[in-house]
Amino acid sequence: MSDMKQRAAEKAIEYVEDGMIVGVGTGSTVAYFIDALAAWKDRIAGTVSSSEQSTARLRSHGIEVIDLNAAGPLSLYVDGADECDPHKRLIKGGGAALTREKIIAEASERFVCIVDPSKRVDVLGRFPLPVEVIPMARSLVAREILRLTGGQPVWRDGVVTDNGNLILDVHNLSIVDPVAMERELNQVPGVVSVGLFARRPADVVIVGGEPPLVL
Ligand code: 5RP
């Protein structure tokens, strides 16, 4: 699948324009995008990064990383996903960067999602849904998730997010109304963010292939 990821990432470079500040997601597909973006580093105004991992890779190429507060609204955000449905709604957070990813997606006019073909599904939920939680609320949130969704929350043991929080991965979901589930889970005290990108889905999905498919 890595060549499919690379093809999707390289296609996304077509959305980069001179002078842009580019929002950059996290993950193995985005790593290819960062590598391709290196050729643009003197033409763009900089990047806003969604994780320490992506920041390190961007800086290793000499690409400038800017604080979102200083950057203001962004015209482009490029990120991967763990699942993508036909309405461009996503599950994200396999790399535990969902909260910053969601913030940058919200700040961006156009969200270009880059995936390999295995990420396409009809109904979201086969991939366990990541939920970032405040550490003291871990058990409370897990009980609430079970009650509200029927899914099985599993603590991603040993993982601490860039924000100092924990991840619960919710198994055995079939998410027929992702907007409603995103809204409902967001309201549980202790939930920092939910890895459903349904209220603000992707605008463009690029599926790696020969040639890449643009949805
Ligand atoms: C990180 C993410 C990633 O975009 C998602 O996990 C996909 O990763 P990859 O490109 O490695 O398959 O949401 O939090």
Side-chain angles (χ1 to χ4, degrees):
M1 281 301 161
S2 62
D3 55 328
M4 300 292 181
K5 293 182 181 205
Q6 186 169 6
R7 283 183 222 280
E10 289 175 354
K11 180 75 178 169
I13 286 291
E14 292 177 13
Y15 292 81
V16 177
E17 294 174 11
D18 287 288
M20 267 184 173
I21 300 177
V22 181
V24 177
T26 297
S28 56
T29 317
V30 165
Y32 288 117
F33 176 73
I34 293 172
D35 295 349
L37 194 62
W40 277 75
K41 72 178 173 196
D42 298 325
R43 295 175 60 176
I44 58 173
T47 58
V48 171
S49 170
S50 61
S51 64
E52 302 303 326
Q53 182 192 101
S54 288
T55 297
R57 196 173 188 103
L58 287 160
R59 292 205 168 122
S60 75
H61 285 296
I63 301 172
E64 191 178 355
V65 180
I66 299 168
D67 185 281
L68 179 62
N69 295 300
L74 305 177
S75 38
L76 177 66
Y77 178 49
V78 178
D79 198 358
D82 299 300
E83 276 187 356
C84 170
D85 81 2
H87 304 282
K88 304 186 180 76
R89 301 176 297 198
L90 314 170
I91 285 183
K92 292 185 45 54
L98 61 158
T99 299
R100 296 187 190 189
E101 291 172 341
K102 204 171 240 198
I103 292 168
I104 302 178
E106 188 72 22
S108 300
E109 191 181 322
R110 183 186 251 173
F111 175 5
V112 174
C113 183
I114 49 179
V115 294
D116 65 68
S118 72
K119 307 292 182 66
R120 296 178 76 189
V121 297
D122 288 328
V123 178
L124 299 172
R126 196 177 55 204
F127 188 91
L129 174 66
V131 178
E132 180 166 351
V133 298
I134 299 284
M136 72 168 286
R138 190 189 80 228
S139 299
L140 165 76
V141 171
R143 289 193 296 274
E144 281 298 284
I145 287 173
L146 180 62
R147 188 178 69 79
L148 292 168
T149 70
Q152 307 296 316
V154 176
W155 176 21
R156 203 183 294 178
D157 204 1
V159 171
V160 177
T161 71
D162 286 348
N163 312 307
N165 298 315
L166 307 177
I167 299 286
L168 295 173
D169 292 307
V170 189
H171 294 248
N172 303 325
L173 292 175
S174 175
I175 308 174
V176 289
D177 188 346
V179 174
M181 185 177 285
E182 182 179 5
R183 189 189 310 118
E184 187 168 43
L185 293 181
N186 266 328
Q187 285 170 0
V188 176
V191 169
V192 177
S193 66
V194 180
L196 275 171
F197 286 54
R199 193 187 61 80
R200 198 277 180 256
D203 300 301
V204 176
V205 174
I206 302 176
V207 186
E210 192 51 73
L213 185 62
V214 179
L215 305 172

